[in-house]
Amino acid sequence: PPSGHRGYGMLDFASGIGLAHLLARMNLRLAERLANLHNVFILNTGRCGSKTFARACAHITNYTSAHESRSGLLGEPHFDYPANHIESDNRLSWLLGRLDRRFGDRAFYVHLTRDVERVAASWASRSYTGMMNAYRYAILWHCPKDATPRAVALDYCDTVGDNIRLFLRDKTNWMDFRL
């Protein structure tokens, strides 16, 4: 890597998906659609490049960008994002009703995806902590004891993806973005 390299994870120097390529794709697709919209939400499963995407968006000069910046807040303050802000937070997929109530079609939404097998493998490697532990034991509650971490992670990815697609069904300001 060149000196001064900031590190952008899976987007580092990858042919066809490098940082310069990502920013060019974002600028071309978003510029026209964002003219009258003040917030952008990156909806995703997590483990799909969402943190890297937020870091790349930090180079956009007329928007701020953050990753999970309000995830610890309760109630309405959770959704008090500043104007001209891009937020990437996989936990928003569990708060889509409240996101819709606050922003509805007055924001721009990006459904960020990555190969589901790779995302599930990443989640499966974290199966006994955080989101996977909560999904398996608190959301699914009676998940079969013999369910593999991979099977639980794939189920999680399907659930979150379906939640996001359902949320976007009546939105006019959105796009799919696959890394």
Side-chain angles (χ1 to χ4, degrees):
S3 66
H5 173 62
R6 292 178 58 186
Y8 289 97
M10 68 182 73
L11 296 180
D12 286 350
F13 310 107
S15 178
I17 63 164
L19 181 60
H21 183 74
L22 171 66
L23 290 172
R25 285 176 57 197
M26 288 168 44
N27 286 336
L28 289 174
R29 291 183 183 172
L30 292 178
E32 292 177 0
R33 294 183 182 181
L34 292 177
N36 297 314
L37 301 172
H38 301 290
N39 292 91
V40 179
F41 295 99
I42 313 305
L43 305 175
N44 61 88
T45 60
R47 313 306 314 156
C48 63
S50 56
K51 190 172 190 176
T52 300
F53 196 92
R55 286 180 182 166
C57 289
H59 295 280
I60 299 172
T61 58
N62 58 337
Y63 278 79
T64 58
S65 176
H67 181 257
E68 301 174 358
S69 67
R70 304 189 68 77
S71 62
L73 300 174
L74 293 173
E76 288 305 308
H78 188 107
F79 300 94
D80 288 341
Y81 296 101
N84 298 326
H85 178 73
I86 301 168
E87 182 69 22
S88 181
D89 185 349
N90 69 299
R91 288 162 184 82
L92 289 172
S93 67
W94 301 103
L95 305 170
L96 293 172
R98 292 170 65 195
L99 186 67
D100 189 62
R101 184 176 64 214
R102 179 54 103 57
F103 293 96
D105 212 24
R106 297 175 313 280
F108 190 87
Y109 303 95
V110 176
H111 185 191
L112 180 65
T113 60
R114 176 180 165 219
D115 176 69
V116 70
E117 290 292 333
R118 294 179 71 187
V119 172
S122 183
W123 274 121
S125 72
R126 294 159 173 76
S127 64
Y128 299 102
T129 63
M131 189 67 73
M132 284 294 91
N133 191 55
Y135 186 72
R136 181 180 193 128
Y137 295 108
I139 295 172
L140 296 180
W141 199 11
H142 295 293
C143 183
K145 292 188 186 310
D146 62 346
T148 65
R150 179 182 176 277
V152 174
L154 284 168
D155 191 78
Y156 166 83
C157 290
D158 286 345
T159 299
V160 171
D162 285 347
N163 287 348
I164 293 169
R165 283 185 289 278
L166 182 64
F167 172 79
L168 294 173
R169 163 174 82 176
D170 67 343
K171 304 295 181 286
T172 57
N173 304 308
W174 69 276
M175 66 182 279
D176 282 314
F177 197 100
R178 183 172 171 88
L179 289 180

